[in-house]
Amino acid sequence: MDVQETADKIRSMQIRGALDIGLAAADSLLRQIKAGKTLKDLEASGEILRAARPTAVSLPNSIDYVLNAYANSKDGEEAAVKVEEFIESQNQAMKRIGEYGSHLIKDGDTLLTICNSDTAINVFRHAHQDGKNFRVYACETRPRNQGYLTSKAIRDIGIPTTLIVDSAAHHVMREKGVNHVFVGADSVYTNGNVVNKIGTSQVALIAQANEIDFNVCTQTIKFSPQSLYGVESEIEERDTSEVADIEGIDIYNPAFDVTPKEHVTRIITEDGVIPPEAAYNIVKEKFGWRLK
Ligand code: RUB
């Protein structure tokens, strides 16, 4: 897919989810490298891709990774190998997160999730493959209803799943004995706060009030280097028609929210299961090259 087509698909959410948009951007830049484009061309393409969606830092992180790989390679061939390795490393990261996350799930557990995170679903898949029996409640995730995708994916794995409206989260946690929440992430800040789909922070607040573990499943590519300088992700505001179309009423449609680290029990990454306070170390370790 060329750069403009990739950017359009990210903007229109045909390609969505933080990991997928980052990998799609890396892949379209890889094609440009293979087509013999210059660093200047790649930087211009990077700007088009970067502007496609504002919140998930996996997008700029992946673009910057490719640009850095190109700038520090002797030629396009070497850069292409590095980018291919980067894309492959994300498959490995997914596998490890699945393995680590599975250790947290026990036979008979009742889980809850919100939105549609491939990474959280991958944890459920690993736990299922490890022979654990559990049920997942999937929040509908208004207004785009990504919870439909989640419940279908979980059903197709063979895991019992129940779709609920978002406002049923508290009731379900109390009445159905939910003992773990698993969600994905779009950005993780150095202070341990987590950006994810709108409604996630409410679920986290309710989980904490009910002493239910709140687990964030995320590759380290979603950790935000800019947050070290106090720069937070822009929270995407989407078209109000996604919510309702009623004349004479103001509608506000933020697509993401920030869960404070106090409500996050742990973050499951490919580098291990960490407390949110350790996010600073991940950023220093993984993105030190960007901070110089
Ligand atoms: C998707 C969303 C997902 C994260 C993580 O939002 O918030 O929870 O991106 O997903 P949208 P993944 O549908 O607006 O893109 O684990 O697949 O990277």
Side-chain angles (χ1 to χ4, degrees), residues 28-274:
S28 73
L29 291 175
L30 173 63
R31 281 164 202 274
Q32 294 225 305
I33 292 172
K34 287 182 172 169
K37 302 281 185 183
T38 64
L39 182 59
K40 211 161 162 253
D41 295 331
L42 292 175
E43 282 170 348
S45 298
E47 289 317 302
I48 293 170
L49 291 161
R50 216 182 282 272
R53 276 193 91 186
T55 303
V57 293
S58 44
L59 182 60
N61 281 351
S62 298
I63 294 165
D64 289 336
Y65 183 90
V66 176
L67 296 178
N68 185 60
Y70 188 92
N72 290 295
S73 297
K74 64 177 189 310
D75 54 25
E77 213 171 301
E78 186 182 309
V81 171
K82 286 182 187 168
V83 176
E84 278 163 355
E85 282 171 1
F86 164 70
I87 293 172
E88 173 52 30
S89 75
Q90 295 308 311
N91 292 330
Q92 287 306 317
M94 189 66 113
K95 192 165 170 279
R96 285 209 203 101
I97 293 168
E99 287 163 7
Y100 301 157
S102 171
H103 293 149
L104 298 164
I105 298 174
K106 294 185 299 302
D107 225 22
D109 272 355
T110 304
L111 315 179
L112 185 139
T113 190
I114 183 167
C115 198
N116 179 242
S117 161
D118 286 343
T119 319
I121 293 170
N122 167 63
V123 167
F124 304 148
R125 182 183 295 107
H126 272 263
H128 176 71
Q129 284 165 354
D130 290 344
K132 296 168 187 169
N133 296 305
F134 55 93
R135 173 172 295 273
V136 182
Y137 283 85
C139 290
E140 187 177 37
T141 320
R142 279 271 292 150
R144 302 267 314 193
N145 300 329
Q146 288 95 330
Y148 297 180
L149 300 172
T150 300
S151 46
K152 283 183 199 159
I154 295 172
R155 174 201 65 192
D156 291 348
I157 295 168
I159 300 167
T161 182
T162 308
L163 183 67
I164 57 169
V165 296
D166 299 331
S167 42
H170 190 194
H171 180 78
V172 167
M173 280 195 218
R174 291 179 70 91
E175 297 301 318
K176 301 293 181 186
V178 170
N179 45 349
H180 274 283
V181 174
F182 285 88
V183 299
D186 287 85
S187 297
V188 180
Y189 298 151
T190 46
N191 63 7
N193 291 354
V194 174
V195 183
N196 193 49
K197 179 54 53 189
I198 192 75
T200 303
S201 67
Q202 283 173 188
V203 169
L205 193 62
I206 299 166
Q208 198 199 34
N210 289 280
E211 297 181 348
I212 293 167
D213 282 12
F214 185 86
N215 307 284
V216 176
C217 314
T218 178
Q219 299 77 8
T220 55
I221 192 71
K222 298 170 191 161
F223 282 59
S224 165
Q226 291 86 350
S227 64
L228 197 55
Y229 307 128
V231 179
E232 303 195 337
S233 295
E234 177 191 334
I235 298 294
E236 179 179 9
E237 255 186 70
R238 299 192 58 82
D239 201 279
T240 56
S241 63
E242 287 183 352
V243 177
D245 201 359
I246 310 173
E247 230 172 276
I249 294 178
D250 292 335
I251 293 173
Y252 173 48
N253 185 20
F256 298 94
D257 65 20
V258 182
T259 299
K261 73 161 193 302
E262 291 75 16
H263 302 160
V264 176
T265 311
R266 56 182 76 82
I267 305 179
I268 306 162
T269 78
E270 72 273 20
D271 285 358
V273 179
I274 61 165

